[in-house]
Amino acid sequence: AGNRNITGSLSPRLGRLTKLRELYISETSIGGSLPEQIGELTELSYLSVTGTELSGPLPATIGNLSNVQFLELGNNNFNGTLPSEMGGMTGLISVLLYGNRFTGALPSTIGGWTNVATVDMSKNSFSADSGLPTEIGLWTNCEVLAFHEAGIGSSIPSEIGGISALKVLDLSLNQLTGEMPVEVGNLNALETFNVEENRIEGPIPTQIGQLTGLTRLVMTKNFFNSAVPTEIGNLINLETLALNFNRLTGQIPDEITQLDGLTEAFLEINSFSGTIPANIGNMASLESFTAFRNKRGIRPGIGGPLPESLGRLSSLNWFDVAENSITGEIPIGLGDLAENMEYLYLNDNSLEGSVPSELGNLVDILELYLENNGLTGQVPEALCGEADIRVDCTVSCPDGCCTNYNCTSTV
């Protein structure tokens, strides 16, 4: 544990400790800069300075520390560009530089970190005019590569496909542009792939289907504008699929129903059409399915009836297909989802027929939105209580149970 009462700065005399192998400074109020004499500690294998008030650029002499295996400089106030001399730190296994104020371009010399297994430079302010250097493809032993909210831009280099050991790739909340390189399909060990909130455009490459070990695929808030490749069905270990807030088109592929371990599917705010896959009931682990607001402008959104197989999704807690063009009646099988269903949004579609009495089984429902449809019948009294229930005035409802929409006032 650190001590915030420790203040002052690091003395240049630190360089006299030439036999020092490990240096730990954590959670103190030490300020000033990292003295250039740090480069004289050539026997260091572990350099950990985290959570301090240290600032300024890293000295070029840090590149002399070729024996350092673990470089931890997270959560400080370091700034400026990374010195190109850091490429000389060829012994590095772990590089943690997150939570600083580094700027400028990443030096190409870091390709020399050929033994590195973990690199985390998240939460910095690197230049959006430059991105990941192509030399990262030399990091063939790297398992974790994190640049979350790091400020990087440009396109993802195709050389990234050379990082064959990679398990976690987090490039979220940056300014990445261009298309996703097909070489990502070579990352056969990948388990987490996150490019949320960038400016990546074009198709989702079919090669994504080669990443059969993937458990999380997050592509939220980009400009992907193709159909979802059918190869998505090959991702048999996938647990989270987030493709929301893009410009994806076409049918939600039937192959998605092969993902029986998927717990979360976020598909909302795209331009999907077609129907919800009929075999969605095969997705036995599904807890959340959101595909609302695919009806945008002249695009009709998702249509057709709700699949009868929905009633088999016993783990389903959240189902939202509002603001589409779904037709037909509400399947009575939805009443079989009483064990976990809490949020059901079917509003702003073209549903018709009576509200099925079987919905009365959903006694733990918290929000049930059925308004702006063509429904009739009545809301089951068993649902009245704490739930927020919204229906059109064509549906009768016990007093005080519902919020009514589209009512014709009479004088």
Side-chain angles (χ1 to χ4, degrees), residues 29 65 104 112 150 194 226 239 274 304 307 323 333 337 376:
S29 296
L65 306 181
N194 190 347
S226 65
E239 297 174 5
E323 298 181 57
L337 305 181
T376 57

Side-chain angles (χ1 to χ4, degrees), residues 109-181:
T109 54
I110 62 176
W113 300 345
T114 53
N115 295 311
V116 77
T118 299
V119 176
D120 190 346
M121 299 192 190
S122 301
K123 293 186 178 295
N124 277 288
S125 300
F126 294 112
S127 173
D129 295 329
S130 59
L132 298 172
T134 60
E135 288 79 6
I136 65 169
L138 300 174
W139 296 349
T140 54
N141 297 306
C142 189
E143 296 183 357
V144 177
L145 182 60
F147 279 82
H148 166 78
E149 202 173 349
I152 57 173
S154 191
S155 57
I156 300 172
S158 60
E159 287 81 1
I160 201 168
I163 312 178
S164 55
L166 201 60
K167 294 181 179 179
V168 176
L169 176 59
D170 187 352
L171 304 178
S172 58
L173 276 69
N174 285 293
Q175 300 180 56
L176 296 169
T177 59
E179 296 190 357
M180 180 68 65

Side-chain angles (χ1 to χ4, degrees), residues 164-238:
S164 55
L166 201 60
K167 294 181 179 179
V168 176
L169 176 59
D170 187 352
L171 304 178
S172 58
L173 276 69
N174 285 293
Q175 300 180 56
L176 296 169
T177 59
E179 296 190 357
M180 180 68 65
V182 298
E183 287 81 5
V184 297
N186 297 331
L187 303 176
N188 297 322
L190 202 61
E191 297 173 3
T192 296
F193 188 6
N194 190 347
V195 291
E196 178 179 1
E197 205 164 324
N198 280 283
R199 301 173 184 175
I200 304 170
E201 59 187 4
I204 297 174
T206 59
Q207 289 81 0
I208 208 86
Q210 297 167 198
L211 308 180
T212 54
L214 211 57
T215 60
R216 285 178 51 83
L217 177 58
V218 182
M219 294 181 161
T220 301
K221 292 187 178 180
N222 279 282
F223 300 128
F224 292 110
N225 56 13
S226 65
V228 177
T230 58
E231 288 80 2
I232 203 85
N234 297 336
L235 305 181
I236 55 175
N237 291 298
L238 201 63

